[in-house]
Amino acid sequence: MHMAPVRNARSVFNEVPIGLPDPGRTVKYDDSQTIDLDDVDLGGGFLVKVLYVSMDPYLRNRMREPSPKNLRPPFIIGDPLVNFGIGVVLRSENPEMKVDDHIYGFLPFQEYAILKETKAFRVISNEANIPWSAYVGVCSMPGQTAYYGWRALAEAKKGETLFVSAGPVGSFVIQLAKHEGLKVIASAGSDEKVQFIKSIGADVAFNYKKELTTEILDKEGPINIYWDHVGGETLDAALDAAAHFARFVECGMMSQNNATPENPPYIPKNLQLVIGKTLTIRGFVVTVFEDQYKEDFYAEIPSRVAKGELKYVEDVTVGLEGVGQALLNVQTGANRGKSVIRVSQSQ
Amino acid sequence: MHMAPVRNARSVFNEVPIGLPDPGRTVKYDDSQTIDLDDVDLGGGFLVKVLYVSMDPYLRNRMREPSPKNLRPPFIIGDPLVNFGIGVVLRSENPEMKVDDHIYGFLPFQEYAILKETKAFRVISNEANIPWSAYVGVCSMPGQTAYYGWRALAEAKKGETLFVSAGPVGSFVIQLAKHEGLKVIASAGSDEKVQFIKSIGADVAFNYKKELTTEILDKEGPINIYWDHVGGETLDAALDAAAHFARFVECGMMSQNNATPENPPYIPKNLQLVIGKTLTIRGFVVTVFEDQYKEDFYAEIPSRVAKGELKYVEDVTVGLEGVGQALLNVQTGANRGKSVIRVSQSQ
């Protein structure tokens, strides 16, 4: 029986935000398109039903005017957002992709997509039998970011002290650090999150909206590793509290993302301390270390997640209609865990 | 024959400067003390006639109120300045130090000094037969800073591009980089200095007071290594012009040194680029790598200087009376080469 064309809803980039994203304007939910799942021309490619896409703070960086100096291309107005996601193959004209294969890679924020580049996707066998959403969370970019950066840049030694802000990446880093015998100081933006980071082993956990980071670090530092997601004033506090030869892993500088001319970002003033304290500051994006550590990651992490050795919290938005709000939430920290968008109800 | 006591003039720290050092106030020339070279009690130590002391920009950092977080102790009001220098032993009660030994190490800005700690000094044999002043310049801290930092942190590869500002350290770095086949972009603060850095091999040399660093780097970059003495706006330009995986060697941030509440320093705003460009920023002070590279340095560099392979320019201040002005000059860049103070006329 031939099915009628079905809705192929999308979440499209609508407007470059000034400051924080605006849930009603930055992206628009568009359900005007349909797709004939049986007959649509695949052109040698494969048709995928998108199950989950990831919502991450860094997407904000792609919501801007094109600039030749920036490294990732900006999103295009009128096109769907794109990010890591999990989909399932419905039809395929490419022998490398089989029906029912679950694939991980860059997917559009769209219910169905026709894809060509098999190399851009990894077929996930899920032998650990964990929820598919974990493959856009703890077993995806945030987990990989933590795992790669920790292995490549932290140079962690037992007994040292780490400072990190909690979040999907930070929570993973906390668990890696505790596993290796470090003292962990971790901050979070709500008491609920503070409870969670305590539960996964942080030795010192505090709500940065209620306590001063500088005071905590003065008391609990000096720190040997600062894993940065925040930049700005927090980076300044970490520079001040750094021990000699400390390593700074620069994973994000959220505080710099949503500045406006009226609300300029706090610029760290303690950078000169890198000299006298012999600090190392290294930035990275997850893709840089992918070739080096990807296979180790998939061999090790999903099974540790299945065993409950690595804990995580998810904040699931059901349906593409909620993308605009989720986008804002990951900027303000209103999300309660790793933000994922459940695009399709069926798995 | 017993000599009468002789003058033992000193250059004493007089006042914490606000902003730039003031030649008449920050340090004072004091010739009120005398010393009996024949009879003064050595207490088991050795008496040294100070020949040269080094004048370096970093001394400004020690001219401040004591602060527990700072790494080098501040100078003490009323005591002589202290820095790397060369002296000759006049008398000794310690068998490790012999009369006429030339010693290198931390010496007071004072004509004669009684010293105890033999381990703090290196006896310089000067087999290369170069001027003693070179041992407080190109063969001393500035040369060591360049040599150690280059070996430990630059990760230079043939064909890469370096950006550095000229000065005693920078001039050395330029020559190391050219020796290893890099393209060198170098800035200096006068046309005379630009001529010198061209003469030692800089491929692109410009006067930063006449040309915009950002424009030069846009045209001649991207850069793979930035060797920083300046910080602030120049660091921002280098971050902007950095290639992926560039290394930033943080040797000094002169632009941050002489700030006042009315004249705050320029704070670099491009730090976020460390993430997307996967940059490494490492600070160091020369002492950190001393154990690792010191013997290599003395085995290699004085003989290369003697052969004329490593060129340098000196700016010699004769007599301790000129210390105040020399101190200001190295902050403003008015010195024409490595600033050294010739304390004694005889060698």
Side-chain angles (χ1 to χ4, degrees):
Chain A
M1 190 184 97
H2 186 96
M3 299 283 283
V6 297
R7 183 189 72 186
N8 191 8
R10 319 180 297 161
S11 182
V12 301
F13 183 39
N14 184 61
E15 191 180 278
V16 172
I18 298 164
L20 287 170
D22 180 331
R25 296 171 61 120
T26 308
V27 296
K28 288 275 188 197
Y29 176 71
D30 167 29
D31 62 0
S32 65
Q33 299 194 347
T34 59
I35 186 168
D36 185 327
L37 298 176
D38 296 318
D39 271 358
V40 64
D41 180 16
L42 303 184
F46 49 105
L47 173 65
V48 163
K49 177 159 77 167
V50 178
L51 302 180
Y52 288 97
V53 286
S54 179
M55 174 54 66
D56 299 297
Y58 90 94
L59 295 179
R60 173 67 184 85
N61 300 341
R62 298 187 62 183
M63 297 180 174
R64 49 172 169 72
E65 305 299 337
S67 144
K69 290 239 170 138
N70 272 290
L71 304 156
R72 290 202 191 89
F75 289 128
I76 295 164
I77 304 278
D79 276 6
L81 303 187
V82 173
N83 199 12
F84 303 94
I86 281 276
V88 59
V89 177
L90 299 185
R91 286 169 52 208
S92 177
E93 294 175 353
N94 186 317
E96 291 180 48
M97 291 294 177
K98 299 186 178 32
V99 171
D100 288 339
D101 275 354
H102 282 71
I103 61 160
Y104 169 75
F106 263 73
L107 290 171
F109 281 47
Q110 182 169 305
E111 291 178 293
Y112 300 95
I114 296 160
L115 305 167
K116 300 274 157 75
E117 290 297 328
T118 57
K119 279 189 191 139
F121 296 95
R122 182 184 184 94
V123 176
I124 303 283
S125 58
N126 197 14
E127 282 149 4
N129 197 27
I130 56 176
W132 287 112
S133 61
Y135 286 100
V136 290
V138 67
C139 291
S140 160
M141 192 271 278
Q144 288 163 5
T145 301
Y147 183 88
Y148 301 171
W150 186 258
R151 283 190 59 170
L153 305 178
E155 296 171 21
K157 285 176 273 299
K158 191 175 170 175
E160 286 191 332
T161 298
L162 161 76
F163 172 48
V164 63
S165 58
V169 178
S171 301
F172 200 114
V173 169
I174 291 169
Q175 295 175 80
L176 293 174
K178 286 314 300 176
H179 190 69
E180 296 183 19
L182 281 80
K183 171 179 171 176
V184 173
I185 307 170
S187 64
S190 74
D191 291 345
E192 184 188 350
K193 289 176 184 172
V194 167
Q195 280 311 312
F196 175 66
I197 57 181
K198 274 186 187 164
S199 78
I200 57 174
D203 301 280
V204 180
F206 67 101
N207 183 336
Y208 65 81
K209 292 176 182 167
K210 294 185 176 175
E211 296 190 77
L212 281 175
T213 301
T214 48
E215 283 179 13
I216 300 285
L217 295 183
D218 270 349
K219 194 173 150 222
E220 301 289 347
I223 58 174
N224 307 99
I225 303 170
Y226 174 49
W227 184 291
D228 194 11
H229 300 114
V230 184
E233 208 163 355
T234 313
L235 174 54
D236 244 3
L239 286 163
D240 196 53
H244 276 243
F245 305 105
R247 285 80 63 200
F248 281 50
V249 182
E250 293 298 330
C251 185
M253 294 194 186
M254 185 91 98
S255 65
Q256 315 291 295
N257 282 358
N258 297 292
T260 59
E262 294 73 37
N263 184 24
Y266 176 98
I267 304 290
K269 294 168 182 61
N270 287 338
L271 199 56
Q272 200 170 4
L273 294 174
V274 299
I275 298 170
K277 292 185 175 183
T278 324
L279 305 182
T280 298
I281 300 179
R282 276 180 287 204
F284 80 110
V285 291
V286 65
T287 45
V288 164
F289 297 117
E290 214 164 62
D291 289 348
Q292 205 173 342
Y293 297 118
K294 188 169 60 181
E295 297 309 323
D296 285 2
F297 179 87
Y298 281 110
E300 179 182 341
I301 299 305
S303 67
R304 287 181 64 186
V305 169
K307 285 180 209 153
E309 279 177 28
L310 277 166
K311 296 186 170 48
Y312 64 99
V313 179
E314 268 175 9
D315 187 329
V316 181
T317 296
V318 179
L320 290 171
E321 298 91 329
V323 166
Q325 185 64 45
L327 188 63
L328 175 62
N329 288 353
V330 298
Q331 294 297 323
T332 62
N335 54 314
R336 290 173 307 103
K338 167 68 189 113
S339 178
V340 299
I341 313 294
R342 184 169 179 165
V343 181
S344 164
Q345 298 307 305
S346 64
Q347 308 288 306
Chain B
M1 191 185 96
H2 185 96
M3 298 284 283
V6 296
R7 183 188 71 186
N8 190 8
R10 319 180 297 163
S11 183
V12 300
F13 183 40
N14 184 59
E15 191 180 278
V16 172
I18 297 163
L20 287 169
D22 180 331
R25 296 171 59 120
T26 308
V27 294
K28 288 275 188 196
Y29 177 71
D30 167 29
D31 63 359
S32 65
Q33 299 194 347
T34 60
I35 185 168
D36 185 328
L37 299 175
D38 296 319
D39 273 356
V40 65
D41 180 17
L42 302 185
F46 50 105
L47 173 65
V48 162
K49 177 159 77 167
V50 178
L51 302 180
Y52 288 97
V53 285
S54 180
M55 174 53 66
D56 300 295
Y58 90 94
L59 295 181
R60 173 65 182 87
N61 300 340
R62 298 187 61 184
M63 297 179 171
R64 50 175 167 71
E65 305 298 337
S67 142
K69 290 240 171 136
N70 272 290
L71 305 155
R72 289 203 194 88
F75 288 130
I76 294 163
I77 304 278
D79 276 6
L81 302 187
V82 174
N83 199 11
F84 303 94
I86 280 278
V88 59
V89 177
L90 299 184
R91 285 170 51 209
S92 177
E93 294 176 352
N94 186 315
E96 291 179 49
M97 291 295 177
K98 300 190 176 30
V99 171
D100 288 338
D101 275 354
H102 281 71
I103 61 160
Y104 169 74
F106 263 73
L107 290 171
F109 281 47
Q110 183 168 306
E111 291 179 292
Y112 301 95
I114 296 160
L115 305 167
K116 300 275 158 73
E117 290 296 329
T118 57
K119 280 188 190 140
F121 296 94
R122 181 182 184 95
V123 176
I124 304 284
S125 60
N126 197 14
E127 282 149 5
N129 198 27
I130 56 176
W132 287 112
S133 62
Y135 286 100
V136 290
V138 67
C139 292
S140 160
M141 191 269 279
Q144 288 163 3
T145 300
Y147 183 88
Y148 301 171
W150 185 258
R151 284 190 59 168
L153 305 179
E155 296 171 20
K157 286 175 273 299
K158 192 176 170 174
E160 287 193 329
T161 298
L162 161 76
F163 172 48
V164 63
S165 57
V169 178
S171 302
F172 200 114
V173 169
I174 291 168
Q175 296 176 80
L176 292 175
K178 287 312 300 174
H179 190 69
E180 295 182 20
L182 280 80
K183 171 177 171 178
V184 172
I185 307 171
S187 64
S190 75
D191 291 345
E192 184 188 349
K193 288 176 183 172
V194 168
Q195 281 311 313
F196 175 65
I197 57 182
K198 274 186 188 164
S199 78
I200 57 173
D203 300 279
V204 180
F206 68 100
N207 183 337
Y208 65 81
K209 292 175 181 168
K210 294 184 176 175
E211 296 189 79
L212 282 175
T213 301
T214 48
E215 283 179 13
I216 300 285
L217 295 183
D218 270 349
K219 194 172 149 224
E220 301 288 348
I223 58 175
N224 307 99
I225 302 171
Y226 174 50
W227 185 290
D228 194 11
H229 300 114
V230 184
E233 208 163 355
T234 313
L235 174 54
D236 244 2
L239 286 163
D240 196 54
H244 276 242
F245 305 105
R247 284 81 62 201
F248 280 51
V249 182
E250 294 299 329
C251 186
M253 294 194 187
M254 185 92 98
S255 65
Q256 314 291 295
N257 283 358
N258 297 293
T260 59
E262 296 72 39
N263 184 24
Y266 176 98
I267 304 290
K269 295 169 182 59
N270 288 337
L271 199 57
Q272 201 169 4
L273 294 173
V274 299
I275 298 170
K277 292 185 175 185
T278 323
L279 305 181
T280 297
I281 300 179
R282 275 180 288 202
F284 78 110
V285 291
V286 65
T287 45
V288 165
F289 297 117
E290 214 164 60
D291 289 349
Q292 205 173 344
Y293 297 117
K294 188 169 61 181
E295 296 310 323
D296 285 2
F297 179 89
Y298 281 110
E300 179 183 341
I301 298 304
S303 67
R304 287 181 64 185
V305 169
K307 285 180 208 153
E309 279 177 27
L310 277 166
K311 296 186 170 46
Y312 64 99
V313 180
E314 268 174 9
D315 187 329
V316 181
T317 296
V318 178
L320 289 172
E321 299 92 329
V323 166
Q325 185 63 46
L327 189 64
L328 175 63
N329 288 352
V330 299
Q331 293 298 323
T332 62
N335 53 314
R336 290 172 307 102
K338 167 66 189 116
S339 178
V340 299
I341 312 294
R342 183 167 178 167
V343 181
S344 165
Q345 298 307 306
S346 65
Q347 307 287 306

